[in-house]
Structure formats: structure tokens, C-alpha cells
Amino acid sequence: MKPLSALCILCLCAVLGAGPALARTFGNGPNVAFELPPLRPVSPVAYVAPRPGERAGSSLDEPWQFVQYLYDADTTSQNYAAYLNAVPVQFAFCRNTNGFLATLHTVFETSDCGRTWHNLDLHPQPSTIPSDWGVLRSPMYISGLAARPITRPGINLDTVLVSAYSATADTSNVRVIYYQGGHRLYPFRQLDTPVWLSGVLVPDSTTGLVFGGMTGRLWENDTLRFGNLWAEVNTSKTFQRAGREDSLTPEQTWVSGFTSIGNRLLAVGSHQWVSNDRGRHWRIRVAADSLFDTCISFADSLHGLAGGGMTTPTSHGWVHVTSDGGQTWSGRVLSTLVPVRAVEMVTPQIGFAAGGNYQAGTGRVWSTTDGGQTWVVELQLTAEIRALKAIRISNAYVDVLAAGVFSDFRGGIWRTQLYLPDSSRALLLADPDTLDFGIVAAGHTDTLAVTLTNAGSAMDTVTGVFGGDTLFTPIWQGIPVPLHPGQSMPLYVAFTSRSGGSFSRYLSVSNVASGRVEILCTASVPLGTSPQHDADLPSRPALTVWPNPGNATFEIRYDLVRAGNVSLRVYDLTGRLVETLTETHAAAGGHIHTWDAARHASGLYFVRLNADDQAVTRKVLLIK
């Protein structure tokens, strides 16, 4: 065999640069918890693309809802799928309900409690425009995210810390997201470390901690004001076994997840670390599971969950529960065939666990209502859930968010809402909180009402209703309405149909003391079955395709100016006819046709509508 030339070796390294050669495994011996960075499947499995707003599964209050897809690439680029790395890492929410979600190379932000998200990187790949976030692209990968739990005066936005590691070297750094007319990544690194960091924790307004992922090392910043004040915590104060004075060496440990409850901090991985003084001193215990744990969450100082899982050599996952602050843990109260990647304890009785395997296109969300003793499956998905977060949005409701990754490395977010009222304060409730107008004939208007009641113990004032549009319009007198405890008022909402389809809208009732109060409005208008006003008809045939891109099934909608003969056909990039979807006589108005593309190869296709001696063509990108 001839020896490899230097050029061949460089080419081989370049090929392996995004593959297993850069991946590190977390786990004990042959039991692999997960790999960093996650490896993109060579041939992603097909999955059913959920529709934004689509509801599925169950919950304690309302069904789970798919919020939106996450793209960390420029989707206007034809080959953008090659740059998708929207694998969720971690949620972080501020006290003003502004939230952030880290993915492998960027951070997404929400300002409406998780209803909508946008990428903070304004120039994602493959764009060549310089970006603040370019320093976090491959080979750098984000490993953790934390929000400082204090609002800066005059700005009303919090400091956010990001930890990131290099896939090509044993180095990591910590960076700051700051606000200057919008959130930006501070250009200078706050901390450089000679080890991989598994994440960052901000337990209070003045303390920041970062953990060495594959080694039991810890860095601390006790002011969070200047980057040069980060310092490694003395090993004499850390990583000691309970009841013994001999410290564990860093090579004997690895860290994956952590949480804080007041002054108490807990971290999990190969062992369990506990600090009762916000990270100054630590004690080590065995992990809750005999193998390891990768995630942990506490509802209060006593009640918590720990979970974990692996795909190698066999795929399975688990959850343990504690009711004494982690002094003792139960056996496996949840045993699954897929790894558990995230847990969230909302109350001492209510909790969630989630996980899956993105390479197989499987995901699960489980819930418990008895403190973790029994579990039920809430969601069965085609995306692996990697992050969970519960956030109180008002005195009445808590929202639970789940972030996952599909097999093609695009991300997705799901949401559900729990009714957990706090009647010791003002408590504004909408009854019902969903207005279903049902089927409304085209060109008609219908009006429904909800009752707003202050069910709390303190006074509140309704100041307005927002979020309406030309379809759903709140009828509001425009002046604040005070509501003492026990008082009620009606709120009317009108729906005016304009064209066929299914419609939904959240209305937000603003108030002084209760927090966010939402009313979901839904309505349906028949397609092409009821007379339409001329103003509602398109001026020329229209054609839309959703989702686009997609990997299995596409929903194609076309709108006609007048009744007539239509044809709907699909062509490939060479102009060859791939499939005729319909040839028929259709009425004026909107029509929907489904194209099952599962048997076709990945690539660019063209959907062509011929109607009324006019043609409309749309590009469709099929990715498998």
C-alpha cells in the first residue's frame, strides 16, 4: 500500500471535520450517554412535518401545540439544508418573560412568552455578510445558556451568558449577549478554558458558574461585571466524596446538567454534586441512576427529577424522583426505549420528561401528576426533544415549552399551558378562554363573548385587548375597567369571514396585576361551497405550497378567479412530468390538494397550476 500524501491527509481531515472524528462521547465505559457535537445523519429519515398551530396529544389543561420551525440558516439559499444545525441546547427565561433558546451555533429569542421566535443572527450561513455570531459557527458549538435573574434599570432586559466549546481542540469560552438596539453577541470572550464546558449556570444576580463537561472542574465569577474576574474554584473546596476527605481527580468525573434552588446548586453526570452555598463548596454523591444522569430539575428545595439515557450499546432512558432534596432517590419510576434528554419539575406533583432519537425520527414527552410515581405519554413526535422549560406567564397559567430536532437538523418548538392559579393575588380569568366560532359562511359576521372575572384577593384593572385583526376583532370601549375581587365584565369578539380556510388568533387582555391573559379564537370558512363577494376573490389564479421545504407530504392550495377547468402537475428540474395531481372542473375560490412525495427522490421540483388560460408555477424543495 502506498503511503498517503500530505495533501490526501489534509483532504481526509477536512472530510472528517464535521463527522465522528470530532465527536466526543459522554458516558461510563461502553454506556454512551450522548455525543458532542451531535452527528448529522447521512440519510435523514422521512418525518411528518407538523403545521404551525397544529394541536396534538394531551396535557393537564390544553393540548400541545406546534409553535414553529427553527432555521439557523439562510432559507433563501437553494442549498441551505446543508447548513442547518438548529439542534436545541437550552432554554433561558428572564423575569420579564423575555426568553432565549440556544441551538448549536446561534440563539433564538422570544418576547411573547414563547409564541414566536426569531434568530438573533441576522446573517446566518451561507451568507457571506459579516455576523457577530460567526465566532460560534463550526468548529465552535454552543453547550449552555443562562439568563441573569435581574433586570438592568432603564433597559428592562437581562444579561445572557453563553458557553461554547471547540470541536477541534480541548478549549471552550464564555460569551455575553448584551442589548444595544437589539440583542447582540459581545465581541470579546469573557473566559477561555483548556477543557470542554458542558454549560453555564447563573443562580443569582451576582454569581456565574461554568462546569468542565468531561472533567470535574469549575469556574466562578462572583460579580458578573467583568470578564477577567472568572477564576477556577480551588479543588480543595470541590469534588469531595460524602464522608471522606480525599478529592476525586477531574479524570474520574463528567458533568452534563445542573440546576439551582435558592442557595442550593445541584449538578449531575457521572456523579451528583451538591453545594449549599451557591457554589463555594461542594460535596459529591453517587448518581441517582447506577449508570449516570444527564438532566435534573427541582420544583422546590425538596422535590426534583433526574433523568438520563443512551443509544449505545442499547437504546433506553430513565427518570428518578426525590422528595428530600436529593438526599435519596427512587428507583427508575420511568423506563423507556429512548433516551431521556430533559426533565422539568413544575410543582411537587406535576412534572415532565422528554427525549427521543433524532436519527430514528422519534421523540416523546411524558408527564406525571403524582410527584413522579407514574407517567403517561403526552406526545409522540418525529423529533427528538432536547430541552424543556416551564415559565409562569400570569397569576393563572404556566406555559411549558419543548424544543426538539428533526432528522434533517431543523429545530421545532411545542407548547402547552397549565392552569395553576395563585388566588392570593389578583387573578384575572377568561371564561371560556377559547372562542370557537365553528363554521361561518363566507361573507358573514358572528359575535361571541367571554366573561372576565377577578377570582383573586386583590384588585385588578383591565386596560385593553390586543392582537385583533380584520378577521377577529375585539369590541372594546377603550377605557380602563377596574375589577375588585369577585367582579366580572363581558368581552365581545367579532369574526368576519373573508375567504375560505381555517383561522386562529390569540387575543391578549392587558391588565395591571394579573399578568398575561390570552383568549384563543378559532373559526372555519368552507372552501368554494358558499357564495363569495367579488372583493374576496383573487384577481388572478394563486398557488401556495406548505411546508416548503418539506420531506414527505405537501399541502398545495390554489385560488381561482372563476369556475373552470384546472390542472395541477409536478415537474422535476429537467422539466420531466413527475405526477399529475388533478385535472378537473373547479369552482371559484380556494381549493386544497395534498401531494405525497415520499416515494420521490430529494431535489428541486416545480408545481404548475393551469387555470383560466393562465399558469402559475412554484418551486418545491424535497429534502429526505
Side-chain angles (χ1 to χ4, degrees), residues 71-75 83 105-106 119-135 137 184:
Y71 299 97
D72 63 350
D74 180 3
T75 58
Y83 297 91
H105 295 302
T106 188
N119 191 351
L120 291 182
D121 186 355
L122 300 180
H123 306 290
Q125 289 181 318
S127 172
T128 58
I129 301 176
S131 169
D132 296 342
W133 301 85
V135 295
R137 293 174 183 165
R184 301 183 61 187

Side-chain angles (χ1 to χ4, degrees), residues 50 79 161 169 217 245 250 275 349 377 446 612:
N79 66 335
L161 300 182
R217 295 172 67 175
E245 294 303 320
S275 172
Q349 297 299 314
V377 176
D446 195 6
D612 196 22

Side-chain angles (χ1 to χ4, degrees), residues 238-596:
T238 60
F239 313 127
Q240 293 183 336
R241 303 174 197 254
R244 297 176 57 177
E245 294 303 320
D246 54 323
S247 297
L248 293 174
T249 64
E251 288 72 21
Q252 292 177 286
T253 63
W254 57 271
V255 181
S256 174
F258 25 80
T259 190
S260 62
I261 317 99
N263 290 330
R264 201 154 185 266
L265 311 182
L266 295 99
V268 295
S270 58
H271 301 74
Q272 188 175 115
W273 295 262
V274 181
S275 172
N276 293 316
D277 56 5
R278 301 196 183 191
R280 272 53 172 186
H281 299 80
W282 293 80
R283 304 292 289 181
I284 278 195
R285 303 175 181 149
V286 297
D289 195 85
S290 58
L291 294 176
F292 51 77
D293 296 300
T294 56
C295 49
I296 187 169
S297 174
F298 272 72
D300 54 27
S301 61
L302 298 177
H303 300 87
L305 301 171
M310 58 189 184
T311 56
T312 304
T314 60
S315 178
H316 63 286
W318 55 83
V319 172
H320 299 262
V321 63
T322 181
S323 58
D324 58 8
Q327 296 288 338
T328 60
W329 291 85
S330 68
R332 292 184 176 181
V333 292
L334 173 62
S335 295
T336 80
L337 297 178
V338 295
V340 172
R341 303 301 193 192
V343 291
E344 183 76 351
M345 198 71 169
V346 184
T347 73
Q349 297 299 314
I350 299 172
F352 294 86
N357 183 351
Y358 67 91
Q359 294 185 330
T362 60
R364 299 286 186 274
V365 176
W366 299 267
S367 69
T368 179
T369 58
D370 57 8
Q373 299 306 309
T374 59
W375 295 81
V376 297
V377 176
E378 293 242 344
L379 278 178
Q380 298 192 49
L381 304 168
T382 54
E384 175 187 326
I385 301 300
R386 285 182 160 246
L388 288 171
K389 184 63 178 179
I391 178 74
R392 178 167 283 281
I393 64 168
S394 72
N395 295 350
Y397 291 100
V398 170
D399 277 9
V400 181
L401 298 169
V405 57
F406 295 94
S407 58
D408 63 356
F409 267 35
R410 81 185 69 191
I413 295 183
W414 288 259
R415 165 190 162 271
T416 190
Q417 190 169 83
L418 310 181
Y419 178 54
L420 297 172
D422 180 2
S423 59
S424 64
R425 299 182 288 176
L427 182 60
L428 187 64
L429 302 177
D431 183 24
D433 59 4
T434 299
L435 289 180
D436 185 1
F437 288 84
I439 299 175
V440 181
H444 286 69
T445 298
D446 195 6
T447 302
L448 296 178
V450 301
T451 300
L452 299 177
T453 302
N454 183 359
S457 303
M459 179 179 164
D460 201 353
T461 300
V462 179
T463 56
V465 185
F466 301 92
D469 55 15
T470 57
L471 296 176
F472 298 99
T473 306
I475 302 173
W476 177 253
Q477 62 268 42
I479 59 174
V481 179
L483 293 178
H484 293 277
Q487 287 187 329
S488 301
M489 63 168 285
L491 173 64
Y492 296 93
V493 179
F495 173 74
T496 302
S497 64
R498 299 184 181 278
S499 61
S502 296
F503 307 95
S504 65
R505 187 77 173 179
Y506 277 102
L507 301 182
S508 179
V509 180
S510 62
N511 57 83
V512 173
S514 292
R516 194 180 187 96
V517 177
E518 292 181 322
I519 303 168
L520 175 61
C521 302
T522 62
S524 298
V525 180
L527 292 173
T529 57
S530 299
Q532 292 189 348
H533 298 298
D534 291 341
D536 296 328
L537 294 174
S539 59
R540 65 184 311 273
L543 178 65
T544 59
V545 181
W546 188 94
N548 192 11
N551 73 342
T553 302
F554 296 89
E555 184 179 279
I556 301 171
R557 172 176 175 140
Y558 58 94
D559 296 273
L560 303 179
V561 179
R562 60 184 63 89
N565 295 325
V566 299
S567 66
L568 197 61
R569 297 185 175 94
V570 181
Y571 298 86
D572 64 15
L573 194 59
T574 67
R576 180 180 63 88
L577 177 63
V578 173
E579 189 172 345
T580 298
L581 301 181
T582 186
E583 282 186 314
T584 186
H585 183 87
H591 303 267
I592 294 178
H593 196 93
T594 300
W595 177 36
D596 184 359

Side-chain angles (χ1 to χ4, degrees), residues 14-301:
V15 171
L16 295 177
L22 299 183
R24 300 269 189 104
T25 57
F26 280 66
N28 293 336
N31 301 314
V32 177
F34 53 87
E35 292 180 316
L36 288 178
L39 302 180
R40 183 189 298 271
V42 177
S43 300
V45 299
Y47 61 85
V48 178
R51 190 185 191 94
E54 179 179 305
R55 292 169 175 260
S58 61
S59 77
L60 303 179
D61 186 41
E62 67 174 30
W64 285 84
Q65 180 184 55
F66 180 67
V67 176
Q68 70 177 70
Y69 291 99
L70 300 176
Y71 299 97
D72 63 350
D74 180 3
T75 58
T76 62
S77 172
Q78 183 174 334
N79 66 335
Y80 82 89
Y83 297 91
L84 280 179
N85 285 286
V87 180
V89 174
Q90 191 171 8
F91 283 107
F93 269 81
C94 307
R95 287 184 178 176
N96 53 16
T97 67
N98 284 332
F100 301 86
L101 172 62
T103 59
L104 291 182
H105 295 302
T106 188
V107 174
F108 292 81
E109 181 189 23
T110 179
S111 58
D112 56 8
C113 301
R115 295 341 184 237
T116 58
W117 296 80
H118 71 273
N119 191 351
L120 291 182
D121 186 355
L122 300 180
H123 306 290
Q125 289 181 318
S127 172
T128 58
I129 301 176
S131 169
D132 296 342
W133 301 85
V135 295
L136 291 177
R137 293 174 183 165
S138 183
M140 295 301 298
Y141 290 84
I142 296 176
S143 61
L145 180 77
R148 184 182 182 188
I150 187 172
T151 299
R152 289 181 285 166
I155 298 180
N156 201 34
L157 292 169
D158 297 64
T159 300
V160 180
L161 300 182
V162 175
S163 61
Y165 62 90
S166 170
T168 57
D170 288 325
T171 60
S172 296
N173 57 63
V174 174
R175 292 182 178 271
V176 171
I177 298 174
Y178 72 106
Y179 188 84
Q180 187 179 44
H183 282 100
R184 301 183 61 187
L185 190 70
Y186 193 64
F188 302 108
R189 298 188 297 272
Q190 299 297 296
L191 169 69
D192 285 301
T193 68
V195 299
W196 276 21
L197 297 177
S198 57
V200 57
L201 179 66
V202 180
D204 57 53
S205 61
T206 61
T207 306
L209 298 164
V210 288
F211 295 82
M214 293 185 171
T215 59
R217 295 172 67 175
L218 181 68
W219 284 262
E220 178 189 41
N221 186 324
D222 59 6
T223 67
L224 287 182
R225 293 181 59 192
F226 304 101
N228 60 358
L229 294 181
W230 287 91
E232 186 170 3
V233 175
N234 192 309
T235 55
S236 66
K237 298 181 180 180
T238 60
F239 313 127
Q240 293 183 336
R241 303 174 197 254
R244 297 176 57 177
E245 294 303 320
D246 54 323
S247 297
L248 293 174
T249 64
E251 288 72 21
Q252 292 177 286
T253 63
W254 57 271
V255 181
S256 174
F258 25 80
T259 190
S260 62
I261 317 99
N263 290 330
R264 201 154 185 266
L265 311 182
L266 295 99
V268 295
S270 58
H271 301 74
Q272 188 175 115
W273 295 262
V274 181
S275 172
N276 293 316
D277 56 5
R278 301 196 183 191
R280 272 53 172 186
H281 299 80
W282 293 80
R283 304 292 289 181
I284 278 195
R285 303 175 181 149
V286 297
D289 195 85
S290 58
L291 294 176
F292 51 77
D293 296 300
T294 56
C295 49
I296 187 169
S297 174
F298 272 72
D300 54 27
S301 61

